[in-house]
Amino acid sequence: MQVLSCGMTLEKTESAGYLANHMARLFAMTLAKRVQHLGLAPAQFMVLMDLWSQDGLTQAELVERIGVEQATMANTLARMKRDGLVQMRPSPSDRRAKLVFVTDAAKALEAPAKEAALAANAKALAGFSNEERQSLMSTMQKVIANLR
């Protein structure tokens, strides 16, 4: 084990970044399995979560909220448009911008997709007490705020 001058080690099991990345990948795989029968990918689910709560966002707003690259969002939205999940409309306030709206097909997926996500969360947090769950959520929120 190599100890750095800051007192930290390079062991992956003691690296917050490694563990967070590994956990995120496992969450994504678990969610992917649970929403696959709905025809959704995890990236599409993330976009829909924002649009279900506030329909009519711009692509730039979605990029900011989800924290992905512009090109990644453009590709995700193109696939979602092709699959009939979203439609684009011109923004009345900015002629260059398009607003993204969910279709009726995407609205019909909201309840089963959210149920699938809740099941994935329940699997991940099985055996946690309510206090442990709240502590984990609070800790993750602090890390996210620190990194922003």
Side-chain angles (χ1 to χ4, degrees), residues 55-58 81 86-92 94-103 107:
D55 209 9
L57 297 170
T58 66
K81 185 177 177 186
V86 297
Q87 57 183 331
M88 314 295 195
R89 297 183 204 151
S91 169
D94 182 352
R95 293 186 331 186
R96 298 168 297 163
K98 292 191 190 266
L99 303 178
V100 183
F101 291 90
V102 294
T103 62
K107 288 176 187 173

Short mmCIF file of all heavy atoms in Angstrom, two decimals, residues 55-58 81 86-92 94-103 107:
data_model
loop_
_atom_site.label_atom_id
_atom_site.label_comp_id
_atom_site.label_asym_id
_atom_site.label_seq_id
_atom_site.Cartn_x
_atom_site.Cartn_y
_atom_site.Cartn_z
N ASP A 55 -41.79 19.44 -17.75
CA ASP A 55 -41.80 19.26 -19.20
C ASP A 55 -41.44 20.58 -19.89
O ASP A 55 -41.68 21.66 -19.36
CB ASP A 55 -43.20 18.81 -19.63
CG ASP A 55 -43.19 17.95 -20.88
OD1 ASP A 55 -42.12 17.54 -21.34
OD2 ASP A 55 -44.29 17.68 -21.39
N GLY A 56 -40.84 20.48 -21.06
CA GLY A 56 -40.55 21.68 -21.84
C GLY A 56 -39.22 22.33 -21.52
O GLY A 56 -39.07 23.54 -21.65
N LEU A 57 -38.24 21.54 -21.11
CA LEU A 57 -36.90 22.07 -20.85
C LEU A 57 -36.11 22.15 -22.15
O LEU A 57 -36.39 21.42 -23.10
CB LEU A 57 -36.15 21.16 -19.86
CG LEU A 57 -36.76 21.05 -18.47
CD1 LEU A 57 -36.07 19.95 -17.67
CD2 LEU A 57 -36.67 22.38 -17.74
N THR A 58 -35.10 23.00 -22.18
CA THR A 58 -34.21 23.04 -23.34
C THR A 58 -33.15 21.95 -23.19
O THR A 58 -32.92 21.43 -22.09
CB THR A 58 -33.50 24.40 -23.46
OG1 THR A 58 -32.62 24.56 -22.33
CG2 THR A 58 -34.48 25.55 -23.57
N LYS A 81 -36.24 10.79 -29.54
CA LYS A 81 -37.16 11.32 -30.56
C LYS A 81 -37.50 10.22 -31.56
O LYS A 81 -38.67 10.01 -31.89
CB LYS A 81 -36.53 12.52 -31.25
CG LYS A 81 -37.45 13.20 -32.23
CD LYS A 81 -36.79 14.43 -32.83
CE LYS A 81 -37.72 15.04 -33.87
NZ LYS A 81 -37.10 16.15 -34.57
N VAL A 86 -39.90 11.64 -26.99
CA VAL A 86 -39.89 13.10 -26.84
C VAL A 86 -40.18 13.75 -28.19
O VAL A 86 -40.01 13.13 -29.25
CB VAL A 86 -38.55 13.64 -26.29
CG1 VAL A 86 -38.27 13.13 -24.89
CG2 VAL A 86 -37.39 13.35 -27.23
N GLN A 87 -40.60 14.99 -28.10
CA GLN A 87 -40.74 15.81 -29.31
C GLN A 87 -40.14 17.17 -29.01
O GLN A 87 -40.09 17.60 -27.86
CB GLN A 87 -42.20 15.92 -29.74
CG GLN A 87 -43.12 16.48 -28.69
CD GLN A 87 -44.56 16.50 -29.16
OE1 GLN A 87 -44.84 16.61 -30.34
NE2 GLN A 87 -45.49 16.40 -28.21
N MET A 88 -39.66 17.81 -30.05
CA MET A 88 -39.03 19.12 -29.91
C MET A 88 -39.96 20.18 -30.50
O MET A 88 -40.57 19.96 -31.54
CB MET A 88 -37.70 19.17 -30.66
CG MET A 88 -36.80 17.99 -30.44
SD MET A 88 -36.25 17.88 -28.75
CE MET A 88 -34.92 16.73 -28.93
N ARG A 89 -40.03 21.32 -29.79
CA ARG A 89 -40.80 22.45 -30.27
C ARG A 89 -39.95 23.71 -30.14
O ARG A 89 -39.16 23.82 -29.20
CB ARG A 89 -42.08 22.64 -29.44
CG ARG A 89 -43.03 21.47 -29.53
CD ARG A 89 -44.29 21.78 -28.73
NE ARG A 89 -44.94 20.55 -28.34
CZ ARG A 89 -45.67 20.40 -27.25
NH1 ARG A 89 -45.86 21.41 -26.42
NH2 ARG A 89 -46.22 19.25 -26.98
N PRO A 90 -40.12 24.65 -31.06
CA PRO A 90 -39.34 25.90 -30.95
C PRO A 90 -39.69 26.64 -29.66
O PRO A 90 -40.83 26.65 -29.22
CB PRO A 90 -39.78 26.71 -32.17
CG PRO A 90 -40.54 25.78 -33.04
CD PRO A 90 -41.00 24.63 -32.20
N SER A 91 -38.67 27.25 -29.08
CA SER A 91 -38.89 28.07 -27.89
C SER A 91 -39.50 29.39 -28.31
O SER A 91 -39.01 30.04 -29.23
CB SER A 91 -37.56 28.33 -27.18
OG SER A 91 -37.71 29.30 -26.19
N PRO A 92 -40.56 29.83 -27.63
CA PRO A 92 -41.16 31.11 -27.98
C PRO A 92 -40.27 32.30 -27.61
O PRO A 92 -40.41 33.38 -28.19
CB PRO A 92 -42.46 31.15 -27.19
CG PRO A 92 -42.30 30.15 -26.11
CD PRO A 92 -41.31 29.14 -26.58
N ASP A 94 -36.68 32.11 -27.49
CA ASP A 94 -35.34 32.03 -28.09
C ASP A 94 -35.45 31.21 -29.37
O ASP A 94 -35.59 29.99 -29.32
CB ASP A 94 -34.36 31.38 -27.11
CG ASP A 94 -32.94 31.30 -27.63
OD1 ASP A 94 -32.70 31.60 -28.83
OD2 ASP A 94 -32.05 30.92 -26.85
N ARG A 95 -35.35 31.88 -30.51
CA ARG A 95 -35.54 31.19 -31.80
C ARG A 95 -34.50 30.10 -32.04
O ARG A 95 -34.73 29.19 -32.81
CB ARG A 95 -35.50 32.20 -32.94
CG ARG A 95 -36.67 33.15 -32.92
CD ARG A 95 -36.75 34.04 -34.10
NE ARG A 95 -35.45 34.34 -34.70
CZ ARG A 95 -35.24 35.19 -35.67
NH1 ARG A 95 -36.25 35.85 -36.17
NH2 ARG A 95 -34.05 35.40 -36.16
N ARG A 96 -33.35 30.18 -31.39
CA ARG A 96 -32.31 29.17 -31.58
C ARG A 96 -32.57 27.90 -30.77
O ARG A 96 -32.07 26.84 -31.09
CB ARG A 96 -30.94 29.73 -31.20
CG ARG A 96 -30.52 30.91 -32.06
CD ARG A 96 -29.31 31.59 -31.47
NE ARG A 96 -29.73 32.14 -30.14
CZ ARG A 96 -28.90 32.52 -29.19
NH1 ARG A 96 -27.61 32.43 -29.37
NH2 ARG A 96 -29.36 33.00 -28.05
N ALA A 97 -33.32 28.04 -29.69
CA ALA A 97 -33.52 26.92 -28.77
C ALA A 97 -34.78 26.14 -29.12
O ALA A 97 -35.75 26.69 -29.63
CB ALA A 97 -33.61 27.43 -27.34
N LYS A 98 -34.72 24.85 -28.79
CA LYS A 98 -35.89 23.99 -28.90
C LYS A 98 -36.22 23.45 -27.52
O LYS A 98 -35.33 23.14 -26.74
CB LYS A 98 -35.62 22.84 -29.87
CG LYS A 98 -35.46 23.30 -31.30
CD LYS A 98 -35.48 22.10 -32.23
CE LYS A 98 -35.08 22.49 -33.61
NZ LYS A 98 -36.05 22.80 -34.52
N LEU A 99 -37.50 23.36 -27.25
CA LEU A 99 -37.95 22.81 -25.98
C LEU A 99 -38.25 21.33 -26.17
O LEU A 99 -38.78 20.92 -27.20
CB LEU A 99 -39.19 23.56 -25.49
CG LEU A 99 -39.04 25.07 -25.33
CD1 LEU A 99 -40.37 25.69 -24.89
CD2 LEU A 99 -37.94 25.40 -24.35
N VAL A 100 -37.93 20.55 -25.16
CA VAL A 100 -38.12 19.10 -25.22
C VAL A 100 -39.34 18.74 -24.37
O VAL A 100 -39.42 19.10 -23.20
CB VAL A 100 -36.87 18.36 -24.69
CG1 VAL A 100 -37.06 16.84 -24.83
CG2 VAL A 100 -35.61 18.83 -25.41
N PHE A 101 -40.27 18.03 -24.98
CA PHE A 101 -41.50 17.61 -24.32
C PHE A 101 -41.65 16.10 -24.41
O PHE A 101 -41.30 15.49 -25.43
CB PHE A 101 -42.73 18.26 -24.98
CG PHE A 101 -42.82 19.74 -24.75
CD1 PHE A 101 -42.22 20.61 -25.65
CD2 PHE A 101 -43.49 20.26 -23.66
CE1 PHE A 101 -42.29 21.98 -25.46
CE2 PHE A 101 -43.57 21.62 -23.46
CZ PHE A 101 -42.97 22.49 -24.36
N VAL A 102 -42.20 15.50 -23.35
CA VAL A 102 -42.48 14.07 -23.40
C VAL A 102 -43.73 13.83 -24.23
O VAL A 102 -44.64 14.66 -24.27
CB VAL A 102 -42.65 13.46 -21.98
CG1 VAL A 102 -41.35 13.51 -21.21
CG2 VAL A 102 -43.75 14.12 -21.21
N THR A 103 -43.76 12.70 -24.88
CA THR A 103 -44.93 12.30 -25.67
C THR A 103 -45.88 11.50 -24.76
O THR A 103 -45.53 11.16 -23.63
CB THR A 103 -44.50 11.41 -26.84
OG1 THR A 103 -43.90 10.22 -26.30
CG2 THR A 103 -43.53 12.13 -27.77
N LYS A 107 -45.22 9.43 -21.28
CA LYS A 107 -46.06 9.64 -20.09
C LYS A 107 -46.59 8.30 -19.57
O LYS A 107 -46.68 8.09 -18.36
CB LYS A 107 -47.22 10.58 -20.40
CG LYS A 107 -46.79 12.02 -20.57
CD LYS A 107 -47.96 12.90 -20.97
CE LYS A 107 -47.48 14.30 -21.31
NZ LYS A 107 -48.55 15.13 -21.86
#
